[in-house]
Amino acid sequence: MALLNTPVPYPGEIWVVVRFLASRSGPVAYDTLRAFLEPHSRESKKLTTVHHALSALRSLGLAEEGSDGQDWVLAGDLATLSWDDYAAFQRALRSAVLGLRGHQPAETADDLRRALVWSLTRDPFSESFNWVVVDSRHQRDAPDGDLVFVNDTRWPPFMAWATSLGLGAPAPHIAQRYVPDCTRAVQQVLEEHLPPDTPVDALDVLRLLREHLPVLPGGVLSNSLGYGLADDRTAGAALSFALMRGEYEKWLVLSSDSDAKQPIKVQDPEQSSLRLCSSIARQETPHV
């Protein structure tokens, strides 16, 4: 069952199940999960949200079912999760969906990855989307000519998944719209891999981000779907937005050295041409 299809729960509902499992010291019986999280449905024989959340986690390699078919434990990057660490849940979910940290890209996430790649080619500086806009203007924007979304029922879960993965966000200025704002994912990757207050070559940072967020333009997944870049030093609109937001929020410092041999090109809406950036430094901020 694809993650964008019903009855797969939204990530927020999956988080409730993950948080309960993480709060326990060992395997948790399926009936116990039902009793605590869905007491109103214990007598029902229908498959419930808990069942579908566990199935989605298992498909992503983030939960395992015991040999008796009854007990469940968290697995993969969630195996040592603290019950209140939502940021770690985000990172684990993103790694599983994108096939990182030893995870194999799950077939259940094929449609989600394809939609993420498409969305991150768009321009968050000037574009926001709802289903009507996507359906009327962008449904055949994919290089293969196929629909970006098979049908309209996949748009709401896509927005929920993209937001939970840190690769999208609700538009702050227009209700019920979405922007391809990957700032949260970019910030988490840089927090994990860059020492604070240490300038790093901007091209190295660009390559690091594409390695850990391969749905970005220039990343492996993006390239495999036909969204290649002519110049690998161009950050692209979505990543430029995240870098510029990081600078505005003062957790990034973007510097330009006139003698730099390989500066990257960042889109800046306040400039008529691409902005050159030769080094990037991460500033220490509260944990996210």
Side-chain angles (χ1 to χ4, degrees), residues 228-249:
L229 292 174
D231 182 357
D232 67 355
R233 293 188 299 123
T234 299
L239 182 52
S240 293
F241 183 90
L243 295 174
M244 293 292 294
R245 182 175 165 186
E247 183 177 56
Y248 176 79
E249 294 175 351

Side-chain angles (χ1 to χ4, degrees), residues 132-167:
V132 173
V133 172
V134 171
D135 190 39
S136 62
R137 301 183 191 173
H138 304 293
Q139 269 288 56
R140 295 198 178 274
D141 280 1
D144 57 15
D146 289 340
L147 297 176
V148 177
F149 297 92
V150 174
N151 52 50
D152 60 344
T153 63
R154 299 193 180 194
W155 176 250
F158 166 71
M159 290 192 295
W161 278 95
T163 301
S164 291
L165 297 174
L167 294 168

Side-chain angles (χ1 to χ4, degrees), residues 10 15 76-77 82 93 105-106 108 110 122 126 133 136 184 192 195 219 232 252 266 271 281 286:
Y10 285 9
W15 165 239
D77 285 353
S82 173
L93 205 61
T108 55
D110 283 349
R122 311 309 308 183
S126 61
V133 172
S136 62
R184 178 64 66 194
E192 188 173 1
D232 67 355
L252 282 184
V266 177
Q271 295 187 10

